[in-house]
Amino acid sequence: MRRLTTLSRLAALSASAVLLAACSGTPTYNSSTYGYKIDQKKLDAQPVRTVVLAHVNLGTQSRNYLEKQAPRIDAQVAAYLKENGFKVLPQREFEQHWKTAVRAFGDPVDPTSGKVNMKTFAQIMHKVRDQMAKSNEIDAFIFTDLVEFDVSFSGGLKHLARWDGVTRAPTMQGPGDGVSMDFDWGMLAAVVSLQVTIYDKNLDPLFSSRGGIDATEAIDSRSSKGRFIRRRNILENDSNIMEGIQLAFYPFIAWEGWPGNP
């Protein structure tokens, strides 16, 4: 099989570009940044100080291999919120009240499709809110969904993918370290973003946005024709996770590294 530039060389070029951007002190503009929604007037009138992270998705359930990573990522989200002055209530309190409400109203998630019945979901959330308000002063509920979709690494000679504010190089999985000259860079590969949705204590929407994290598929070096396969280690890079968190919470939480339009 004829081989082209190794991925390690591509990664080095990508790393050099990131280093130069960091040295310049100005974030590199990324047109893929997500179009966040924020109710700034409501936030100014009723500042958010005490929050709780929901252990469930607001939208469709994440894949099983992503669900396994959710607690670790939620822990990093909680730490980020605390570093920025928020009080984060224990997630187990939300989970306990959620389970009680599910027994009363039924599970809102269809086990076959993974889709959520929003009417039942709303009934459960009102019950959870009322129960938590009895023992806590709570300002907001935060949902952190891991969403997966497809992108291509076809952009430019470096074959970088850009989505939801991040730029990532492809990774290789298997014994080799190069790709064939006829590799189809237009093929789609699965990637993951962190989707953040925040509701106030009245369950009115305050903020929503999304930040890219990493690809969940890598190039299979054992394939002569070239293909993407699921990575053995999913979302193991803490720096990529933190970048996704910072992107997903901007501008609810200010971040100097924001790569989108001011």
Side-chain angles (χ1 to χ4, degrees):
M1 178 171 61
R2 299 174 66 192
R3 300 247 174 213
L4 195 59
T5 307
T6 62
L7 286 179
S8 58
R9 200 172 297 166
L10 289 175
L13 288 170
S14 178
S16 298
V18 171
L19 181 61
L20 288 172
C23 292
S24 70
T26 302
T28 302
Y29 173 71
N30 189 325
S31 61
S32 74
T33 47
Y34 194 78
Y36 61 80
K37 296 179 181 179
I38 186 168
D39 192 332
Q40 194 60 54
K41 288 184 178 179
K42 188 172 290 185
L43 282 168
D44 290 341
Q46 298 180 333
V48 171
R49 297 185 178 88
T50 303
V51 303
V52 67
L53 296 178
H55 71 291
V56 294
N57 279 12
L58 179 63
T60 302
Q61 298 303 104
S62 300
R63 300 285 182 86
N64 289 337
Y65 52 86
L66 294 178
E67 281 294 325
K68 293 178 181 178
Q69 306 301 324
R72 180 168 62 90
I73 293 175
D74 275 352
Q76 290 175 263
V77 169
Y80 183 65
L81 288 164
K82 291 175 183 177
E83 289 171 4
N84 284 277
F86 295 91
K87 179 181 179 181
V88 183
L89 298 176
Q91 192 177 61
R92 64 177 179 274
E93 292 187 28
F94 181 97
E95 188 172 0
Q96 290 169 354
H97 293 308
W98 178 271
K99 289 179 179 178
T100 300
V102 165
R103 287 195 291 270
F105 299 105
D107 194 332
V109 180
D110 185 321
T112 302
S113 66
K115 293 183 178 180
V116 179
N117 183 318
M118 293 310 295
K119 180 179 179 180
T120 303
F121 190 93
Q123 290 176 314
I124 293 172
M125 276 304 302
H126 278 85
K127 185 68 174 179
V128 171
R129 185 272 312 272
D130 293 344
Q131 291 302 311
M132 291 199 71
K134 291 180 180 180
S135 55
N136 300 283
E137 288 290 334
I138 186 166
D139 300 316
F141 297 86
I142 300 179
F143 291 86
T144 54
D145 295 7
L146 292 175
V147 295
E148 188 177 44
F149 48 94
D150 295 330
V151 301
S152 73
F153 287 91
S154 59
L157 295 175
K158 296 179 183 179
H159 300 297
L160 302 176
R162 293 179 175 83
W163 77 94
D164 292 341
V166 298
T167 302
R168 300 283 184 255
T171 58
M172 203 87 174
Q173 188 161 288
D177 64 352
V179 294
S180 63
M181 288 191 66
D182 58 354
F183 184 83
D184 181 8
W185 288 103
M187 280 192 298
L188 298 179
V191 299
V192 171
S193 290
L194 175 67
Q195 181 172 289
V196 169
T197 312
I198 304 177
Y199 292 89
D200 67 12
K201 59 186 176 183
N202 298 316
L203 300 182
D204 292 326
L206 283 178
F207 174 79
S208 64
S209 191
R210 210 161 75 179
I213 300 180
D214 210 347
T216 56
E217 291 185 327
I219 297 172
D220 181 10
S221 66
R222 297 167 299 180
S223 171
S224 59
K225 295 182 179 179
R227 62 173 182 170
F228 285 100
I229 57 173
R230 186 178 303 166
R231 292 169 65 171
R232 286 188 291 269
N233 299 314
I234 301 292
L235 305 182
E236 79 280 11
N237 189 311
D238 286 339
S239 295
N240 287 352
I241 292 172
M242 180 50 63
E243 183 180 12
I245 291 171
Q246 291 167 323
L247 285 162
F249 275 93
Y250 182 89
F252 180 77
I253 296 177
W255 179 43
E256 292 182 354
W258 171 250
N261 289 320

